[in-house]
Amino acid sequence: MRDDDKIHYRPASTSVDNRKGDGVSPGGLVAGSERPGFRRRLRQALTLRPGAARPGRTTIALASAAACCLGLVTVVELRTPDEGSAAADSSAASTELLRRAEQEHASRGLARTPSAPSATPSPSASTAPAPTPAAEKTAPGKSTPTKKPTPRKPVDPAPVAGLTVAQMNNAKKIVRTGRAMGVPRRALVIAVATAMQESNLYNLASGALPESQNHPNQGLGWDHDSVGLFQQRASMGWGTVAQLMDPAYATRKFLTTLLAVPGWQQMRLTDAAQAVQVSGFPEAYAQHESRATVIVAAIVAPAT
């Protein structure tokens, strides 16, 4: 090795804590790299002095050793003088190597803190769209509220069996009053047939009883003081004149008396009606049985 290739360095001085070796050893190892003044002396050792020859292989090896001690792996490409490299290029490479070594050394002393998580969600973390209220299901154990059905209005059937509108309306009052009482259909047929015989299904006042004419009526009858659909008499204890002129009251009075007759369900229609009315023509009610059956069926069917 030529004298020009020797490393010019200052002898290691004693540090504040009286420890030696705060510099570069002749063997090329970096000692006390963590002590104060190391980087300054390393820079001086790698800097070319005026008039000095280019750094030789020893200088580059020393810089490489220092970089390795600091955790920096560097590949240095050596060029021969034949390739025309100048001393300034070697000096620049040494300076750059030192700078990178210092940066790496400084980065080792920094506190390592985890970086903040990325704000961009990963594909696996994508959330599914929220279900719409329409797709929502009823939780187990809970019943869904059901809308109550609207009660169906009773249908008024057209007149049947040759009746007028007024007669059919009176027949409806008899049938619906009896259904409200819960009587059998047979009792409804007997009631309609009796009214057909007594008043021809009209709500009659009495020409012999002027008081009855003060109430809504559909004509006059002349059988003593008999009034209403069933020609019931106030003088015989059936009720007051005002009560007997009410079709609903007159119907309830007739059916209550019929249900009290023993065995009425097994009787002929005319016999059952006669047991209630005590008429002078006991067989007259039988002629209306077939028509009364059709009328009751027409009124009951739409309401069922």
Side-chain angles (χ1 to χ4, degrees):
M1 181 176 63
R2 299 179 301 174
D3 293 339
D4 295 341
D5 295 335
K6 293 180 180 180
I7 300 174
H8 296 277
Y9 65 93
R10 296 173 60 184
S13 59
T14 305
S15 60
V16 178
D17 56 356
N18 296 324
R19 288 184 292 180
K20 297 285 185 176
D22 188 11
V24 181
S25 64
L29 299 176
V30 178
S33 60
E34 302 297 330
R35 299 178 184 177
F38 167 72
R39 291 190 295 274
R40 178 178 55 79
R41 286 189 289 276
L42 180 59
R43 189 181 298 108
Q44 290 176 357
L46 297 177
T47 304
L48 289 176
R49 296 182 182 179
R54 63 179 180 81
R57 295 181 178 179
T58 306
T59 304
I60 296 175
L62 177 60
S64 298
C68 292
C69 293
L70 295 176
L72 177 64
V73 178
T74 307
V75 178
V76 179
E77 181 181 1
L78 299 179
R79 297 179 182 270
T80 62
D82 296 339
E83 295 175 341
S85 60
D89 296 336
S90 299
S91 177
S94 301
T95 304
E96 177 63 19
L97 183 61
L98 177 61
R99 184 183 64 79
R100 294 176 64 183
E102 289 179 348
Q103 290 178 352
E104 179 65 19
H105 175 72
S107 67
R108 289 173 179 266
L110 297 176
R112 303 292 178 93
T113 57
S115 58
S118 174
T120 305
S122 61
S124 60
S126 60
T127 57
T132 60
E136 292 181 357
K137 297 182 178 180
T138 306
K142 294 184 179 180
S143 59
T144 56
T146 56
K147 186 178 180 180
K148 295 182 179 180
T150 304
R152 186 175 58 180
K153 294 181 179 179
V155 179
D156 288 337
V160 294
L163 299 182
T164 65
V165 174
Q167 290 174 314
M168 190 68 177
N169 289 337
N170 288 329
K172 292 174 187 176
K173 292 176 183 179
I174 295 172
V175 172
R176 289 170 182 170
T177 300
R179 286 175 61 85
M181 295 174 62
V183 300
R185 179 177 294 198
R186 177 65 175 173
L188 299 178
V189 173
I190 296 173
V192 171
T194 301
M196 293 176 71
Q197 172 61 31
E198 296 289 350
S199 65
N200 199 20
L201 277 175
Y202 286 112
N203 191 28
L204 300 178
S206 174
L209 188 63
E211 179 186 353
S212 63
Q213 302 176 23
N214 296 330
H215 301 282
N217 62 84
Q218 296 170 320
L220 296 176
W222 298 93
D223 185 10
H224 305 293
D225 58 347
S226 300
V227 295
L229 290 174
F230 295 92
Q231 291 293 287
Q232 296 159 331
R233 302 176 65 178
S235 61
M236 301 296 293
W238 288 88
T240 65
V241 174
Q243 291 173 334
L244 298 178
M245 291 296 296
D246 177 15
Y249 174 87
T251 300
R252 287 194 296 270
K253 192 69 175 178
F254 175 84
L255 290 174
T256 301
T257 306
L258 175 65
L259 297 177
V261 175
W264 67 270
Q265 292 173 308
Q266 288 74 37
M267 294 180 180
R268 295 186 305 158
L269 180 143
T270 190
D271 293 338
Q274 176 62 14
V276 176
Q277 296 296 103
V278 191
S279 170
F281 307 92
E283 296 293 329
Y285 304 104
Q287 60 183 330
H288 305 290
E289 183 172 357
S290 59
R291 294 177 64 205
T293 302
V294 174
I295 294 169
V296 171
I299 298 171
V300 170
T304 303

